[in-house]
Amino acid sequence: MKIPELRIGNLVAKIPVIQGGMAVRISMAPLAAAVAEEGGIGIIAGSGLSVEELITEIREARRRTKGIIGVNIMFAVREFAQLVHAAFDEKIDLLVSGAGFSRDMFTWGKEKGIPVVPIVSSAKLAKLSEKLGAAAVIVEGVEAGGHLGTDRSIHDILPEVIAAVSIPVIGAGGFIDGQDVAKTLKLGADGVQMGTRFALSEESSAALAWKEEMLKATEEDIVSIHSPVGMPARGIKNPFTQLLDEKVDVKPTKCRGCLKQCEGNFCIISRLVMAQEGDVREGLIFSGANVHKIKEVLSVHKIFEDIKKGILNFKEEEC
């Protein structure tokens, strides 16, 4: 099987892989730039950053690579508009957005000539996105890490979306190697988004303790929690998620005002930052459903070499 290019608007990625925008502070400039250098699309996670921090990360990524750099910003964050406009002013290559749906972002993207790629979990939302001007859609199934917009498998949703729209379709959720990428391309997807595999890279900005906790996780350690965003989310079981499961009060004493609407059951930003900095007991570790299949932390270069090898060696009967 040949390795196809991924075309989104005027952008051409030599390898049809988008690195997931993992917040908070996992997908930063070092990871995004390394992915872009390998021919994929590198994504900086803007959610949880200030406008100034996001600008700094974009400029650092630009310093490191001439490849394709995008930004992922959750619609649910209070400073969504300010962060998007800052990214556009920095002439980012594309915007990815999920955890809610913004109609305005398509207008803003058209005005700036920057492709907008929403994360969707249904053919209905994919069709609406195309109508509003999306350059492509990322289709995420229940196997994904972080916030989930569906309880259906990517394998069920993907064919429906491919049949419903004419723009590029990128599959996401639970993909960790070249075999997964090849199978998804054979199903008709134009590309694949991978998050957890790149979270466990040398260039990921997560603490070593965070990565070690991910590597230790078994299939039974993957849990679903109810996020203050108002959506279910997938992560790894630890003492904090057990408190949530037992309905123990972990409400914050102070509100940082990071979300447009917050259910207040816990502070998601502070818990994600705790984990990213190495507090794997009290922090929240988001993870895809197949993290247990990943056995080691690798460089982004090695991950891409494995992906390319998996695609090139893929046999039709394996699909």
Side-chain angles (χ1 to χ4, degrees), residues 15 17-19 22 31 34-35 38 175-179 181 194-204 211 294 296-311:
I15 310 296
V17 171
I18 299 179
Q19 157 249 318
M22 296 164 285
L31 176 55
V35 169
E38 294 294 329
F175 304 134
I176 61 167
D177 58 24
Q179 284 260 317
V181 175
M194 301 171 74
T196 302
R197 174 63 273 189
F198 289 112
L200 284 167
S201 68
E202 293 173 2
E203 292 86 350
S204 158
K211 295 176 184 179
I294 301 174
E296 58 184 327
V297 174
L298 299 172
S299 69
V300 165
H301 175 71
K302 183 64 168 67
I303 291 170
F304 266 90
E305 288 301 301
D306 288 350
I307 289 171
K308 288 186 283 188
K309 183 179 178 181
I311 296 173

Side-chain angles (χ1 to χ4, degrees), residues 210 213-214 234-236 238 271-272 275 280 283-287:
W210 188 97
E213 198 71 9
M214 292 272 276
R234 184 182 302 288
I236 292 176
N238 67 357
R271 294 290 179 171
L272 288 170
V280 295
L284 176 61
I285 305 172
F286 276 163
S287 168

Side-chain angles (χ1 to χ4, degrees), residues 126-138:
K127 287 174 72 173
L128 175 60
S129 299
E130 182 177 33
K131 183 179 178 181
L132 291 171
V137 288
I138 294 171

Side-chain angles (χ1 to χ4, degrees), residues 7-38:
R7 295 176 178 269
I8 299 176
N10 294 323
L11 304 172
V12 181
K14 295 298 183 184
I15 310 296
V17 171
I18 299 179
Q19 157 249 318
M22 296 164 285
V24 175
R25 304 178 191 278
I26 305 295
S27 303
M28 302 291 271
L31 176 55
V35 169
E37 275 291 281
E38 294 294 329

